[in-house]
Amino acid sequence: VYIELQRRGVNCEFQREFCILSTIPDIYIPQKQIAIYLDGEKVHAKRKDRDETLRDLLSKRYGIKVLSIPYRRFSQREVEKIVNEILKVIKE
């Protein structure tokens, strides 16, 4: 069908991929347009490519800065580290 359409002068693309999935950041700071994703080591590892693709699309489509912060497990020390990293990006 594609070849026949091309032969008849119809400008079309074959198997073009469209993004129809949404992505939801863990934290969003609208004033700075920063989407923050807290990536748990085990969960994120299973879907790393998908996550990165959707985040890249979010950045390109809406001009939102994406911040991905990996962590192994939540502890007070880890929370402090994450908060400091976020505050550093907000101040930029």
Side-chain angles (χ1 to χ4, degrees):
V1 173
Y2 172 76
I3 293 170
E4 186 61 26
L5 288 171
Q6 289 287 321
R7 191 177 72 73
R8 295 182 187 200
V10 177
N11 185 17
C12 56
E13 297 178 25
F14 184 67
Q15 293 186 345
R16 177 166 181 176
E17 185 174 334
F18 289 93
C19 179
I20 58 172
L21 298 174
S22 64
T23 180
I24 301 171
D26 295 296
I27 302 167
Y28 178 64
I29 302 170
Q31 300 85 353
K32 296 283 188 170
Q33 286 194 305
I34 300 172
I36 301 163
Y37 293 88
L38 304 177
D39 294 329
E41 186 176 5
K42 292 178 184 177
V43 174
H44 182 61
K46 295 176 185 175
R47 57 183 200 214
K48 187 175 183 178
D49 291 339
R50 176 182 170 270
D51 286 350
E52 289 178 7
T53 300
L54 291 173
R55 294 170 191 184
D56 186 49
L57 184 61
L58 177 67
S59 180
K60 288 178 181 176
R61 183 173 287 168
Y62 298 104
I64 293 174
K65 183 175 184 172
V66 174
L67 178 62
S68 298
I69 303 174
Y71 70 90
R72 290 189 177 188
R73 61 188 159 111
F74 272 120
S75 64
Q76 188 58 41
R77 184 176 179 181
E78 196 70 23
V79 169
E80 287 295 323
K81 178 184 159 199
I82 291 170
V83 168
N84 287 333
E85 192 169 340
I86 293 169
L87 291 175
K88 180 181 172 187
V89 171
I90 290 173
K91 292 178 183 178
E92 290 179 350

